[in-house]
Amino acid sequence: MNKKEVLEIRKQFTPANCAITRICGCYVDHEKNKKMESKEAFLSLPEEEAFKYFDIFKKTLSGTMGRNMLNMEFPLDAEMPGGTQEFLMKLRNSKLEDDILLEEFYDKVIESYIYEENYYVVLIHAMYDIPGKSSDDIEMFDASDNVYEYLLCSICPVSLSKPGLCYNAEDNRIQDRIRDWIVDMPDKGFIFPAFTDRNMDIHGVLYYTKKSEDLQEELIDHVLGARMPMSADTQKETFQMLIEDTLGEDGDYVTVRNIHETLNELIEEHKEEPEPLALDKTDVKKIFEKSGVPSEKMETFEQTFEETAGEKASLLAANITETRKFNIETPDVVIKVNPERMDLVETRMIDGRQCLVIAVDDHIEVNGVNVRTMKAPGSIQVVNEEEEE
C-alpha cells in the first residue's frame, strides 16, 4: 500500500462514507485477563461514540510509510492450510460473527502482545465499494466493480486518568474528580488484506506501530505470520555502519556530508511520488560514488553491503537520513545545522589543530540573547587593577 491508498481507506472513517459493518472489542487487564468483550453492529453505536472510534481507526492508518506503517507479505507456509493468513481469511469471511474465531484471535494477541498495563483490542469488519476512476483520476462512484472487504485491528493502551479537582455543577462546588480508565490512541494495529493498486491483496498486510523502534516481532509472527521488514531505526543504524565500513579510517566530514546531501536531493526529487523512495545495493553504490567516495574504497562495496545489510536488502531513503536537521557532535559540543546550509560548516587546520569553521553573520544568538561575534572596534575593556598587578 502507498500513501494514496492509505488515505483512500482513511476517508471511509466518516459518518457519510462509513463502510464498517461490525465492531468487536476485548478489554484486557495487566494480568492478561479478559475483563470485557463486546460485539455489535457499528451503525448501532451512539454518534458521539462512533466519532471517537473513527479517530482510533484513522490513527491506525497514520504516520510515515516505512516507519510507522509497514507493508508486509505472507510467506508461502502462512498461506497453507492451518497458516496465519488462512486464519485471518476465515475471520474476515465470518464478518466477525463467529465467536470461536474471535476468541482464538484475542488469545493470539494476548499471548504475544507485550504490554504491562491494561489495553483494549478493537476489531472491525468493513466492505468498501471501490469507485472506478477516470483517466484524469476523478472518482466515478457509479462505476464500481470491486468490493474491498477487510479487517482493521487497533490495540489501544488503557490508562487511569490523572487525579485532580473538578467542578460539580449540581452541587455548585469544587470536589475531587472521579478517575476514569481512558482508552488512548492505538499503539499497534493492522489492516488485512492490504489495499494494493486500489484492489484487495490477500498476500499482504499493512502493520501499524506507534514507535518505529518497537515493532514487537512476536506479535507480528504469532498473529500475522508475515515477513517482518527491517525497522526504520535498524535501517538507519545499518546505513551508518555501511558508511563506516566502506570509508574505514579515511572517513572525513566532507564525504559524509556529501552523502547526506545527495540523499536529501533524491528525496526532494521523489517527494510527490506516492511510494517511499527505496534504495537497493546498486542505488546506494551510485550515491556513494556521486558523493566522492574514493574508487579504491568502492572496490569491495558490494561485499560490504551484503555483509552489513543483506544481499537483497532495501533501505528507505527517509529512514537513513535526516531531512530537517544535520547534527555534528563531539564529546562536548553538538552543532545543529539546517540541511540546506551544510555548506556553512567546513573543516580547517588552525594553529596545527583540526577545527570546524562555521560562517556566521555579524550577530549570533547566545541563550536567546543577540550578541556580536567580535567586539566592536574602539570598545573599552575594563581590567581589574588587582588582577593587572
Side-chain angles (χ1 to χ4, degrees):
M1 292 178 69
N2 59 40
K3 59 185 179 182
K4 281 188 177 180
E5 290 157 348
V6 169
L7 183 60
E8 183 171 349
I9 301 304
R10 274 173 54 95
K11 287 180 179 177
Q12 306 314 306
F13 301 134
T14 64
N17 299 331
C18 183
I20 304 171
T21 63
R22 193 166 179 80
I23 181 170
C24 300
C26 179
Y27 179 51
V28 184
D29 69 12
H30 64 285
E31 295 181 339
K32 293 183 174 289
N33 298 313
K34 299 174 189 172
K35 303 298 289 185
M36 181 277 295
E37 293 182 44
S38 62
K39 300 181 286 286
E40 55 194 313
F42 188 80
L43 295 178
S44 68
L45 295 177
E47 186 177 357
E48 290 185 3
E49 196 173 319
F51 271 110
K52 292 177 174 62
Y53 275 114
F54 284 145
D55 289 340
I56 289 174
F57 305 148
K58 288 176 183 176
K59 192 66 178 177
T60 311
L61 297 177
S62 68
T64 304
M65 295 299 301
R67 180 176 289 272
N68 306 102
M69 291 183 287
L70 306 171
N71 283 299
M72 300 182 185
E73 293 182 352
F74 294 102
L76 188 59
D77 60 341
E79 299 189 1
M80 298 295 284
T84 50
Q85 186 253 22
E86 186 199 43
F87 171 77
L88 291 171
M89 287 293 292
K90 286 181 179 178
L91 186 63
R92 187 206 64 167
N93 294 340
S94 74
K95 304 186 190 310
L96 303 185
E97 294 180 354
D98 187 320
D99 291 344
I100 295 176
L101 287 176
L102 275 172
E103 289 300 322
E104 187 176 348
F105 174 77
Y106 294 144
D107 290 341
K108 283 173 175 280
V109 173
I110 293 169
E111 183 180 342
S112 55
Y113 179 53
I114 301 172
Y115 191 69
E116 296 180 353
E117 303 297 332
N118 301 358
Y119 59 91
Y120 180 42
V121 182
V122 191
L123 189 63
I124 60 169
H125 172 272
M127 301 184 71
Y128 169 45
D129 249 345
I130 307 170
K133 282 198 174 184
S134 62
S135 56
D136 51 358
D137 213 32
I138 296 176
E139 289 186 342
M140 300 182 295
F141 292 94
D142 57 346
S144 175
D145 293 326
N146 298 311
V147 174
Y148 172 49
E149 184 180 2
Y150 65 92
L151 301 174
L152 185 137
C153 174
S154 306
I155 304 177
C156 306
V158 178
S159 56
L160 194 60
S161 62
K162 294 180 180 179
L165 299 174
C166 69
Y167 172 66
N168 185 323
E170 291 183 5
D171 298 338
N172 193 31
R173 67 186 182 89
I174 301 296
Q175 65 180 42
D176 186 34
R177 185 177 68 187
I178 297 174
R179 300 180 69 184
D180 297 318
W181 289 96
I182 308 296
V183 177
D184 297 323
M185 287 294 106
D187 172 54
K188 298 287 179 286
F190 67 85
I191 185 168
F192 169 82
F195 185 61
T196 307
D197 295 328
R198 301 195 67 244
N199 219 325
M200 183 165 58
D201 176 13
I202 63 172
H203 306 293
V205 59
L206 184 72
Y207 182 73
Y208 168 79
T209 177
K210 181 179 179 181
K211 296 180 180 179
S212 61
E213 70 276 11
D214 178 31
L215 294 187
Q216 295 223 10
E217 183 175 353
E218 189 175 347
L219 178 69
I220 294 170
D221 183 60
H222 194 55
V223 177
L224 303 177
R227 293 191 184 95
M228 192 175 79
M230 202 184 296
S231 72
D233 294 71
T234 303
Q235 288 184 45
K236 188 172 185 178
E237 292 169 6
T238 300
F239 187 68
Q240 290 169 343
M241 289 172 58
L242 187 59
I243 294 175
E244 293 175 2
D245 291 346
T246 302
L247 297 178
E249 296 181 356
D250 298 327
D252 63 275
Y253 166 75
V254 174
T255 304
V256 175
R257 184 192 68 187
N258 290 346
I259 289 172
H260 285 279
E261 281 183 332
T262 304
L263 275 170
N264 287 342
E265 288 169 4
L266 285 172
I267 291 172
E268 182 65 23
E269 291 172 7
H270 288 79
K271 68 178 181 180
E272 300 301 327
E273 298 292 328
E275 300 280 355
L277 177 60
L279 306 169
D280 60 16
K281 178 171 58 179
T282 303
D283 298 321
V284 177
K285 185 177 182 180
K286 290 177 181 177
I287 289 170
F288 279 26
E289 290 172 339
K290 183 179 178 181
S291 303
V293 177
S295 56
E296 61 270 18
K297 296 291 184 181
M298 296 301 297
E299 291 176 358
T300 58
F301 172 80
E302 293 190 10
Q303 181 182 344
T304 303
F305 185 95
E306 291 172 12
E307 292 175 352
T308 307
E311 182 180 0
K312 298 181 180 179
S314 179
L315 307 175
L316 297 186
N319 288 342
I320 60 178
T321 189
E322 296 283 356
T323 56
R324 298 182 180 179
K325 64 181 180 179
F326 183 73
N327 286 2
I328 305 168
E329 299 183 24
T330 74
D332 302 306
V333 179
V334 177
I335 303 170
K336 296 184 179 181
V337 186
N338 180 343
E340 296 179 0
R341 296 310 312 270
M342 295 183 198
D343 59 299
L344 293 175
V345 183
E346 55 186 78
T347 55
R348 288 187 193 171
M349 290 294 292
I350 300 176
D351 296 334
R353 300 179 64 188
Q354 273 192 326
C355 297
L356 284 173
V357 178
I358 306 172
V360 297
D361 294 326
D362 187 41
H363 288 80
I364 60 175
E365 195 174 282
V366 178
N367 285 345
V369 180
N370 285 318
V371 298
R372 296 178 65 89
T373 55
M374 308 265 307
K375 285 188 176 295
S379 60
I380 300 173
Q381 183 175 2
V382 179
V383 179
N384 187 299
E385 291 181 359
E386 293 180 0
E387 289 180 357
E388 195 176 42
E389 292 175 1

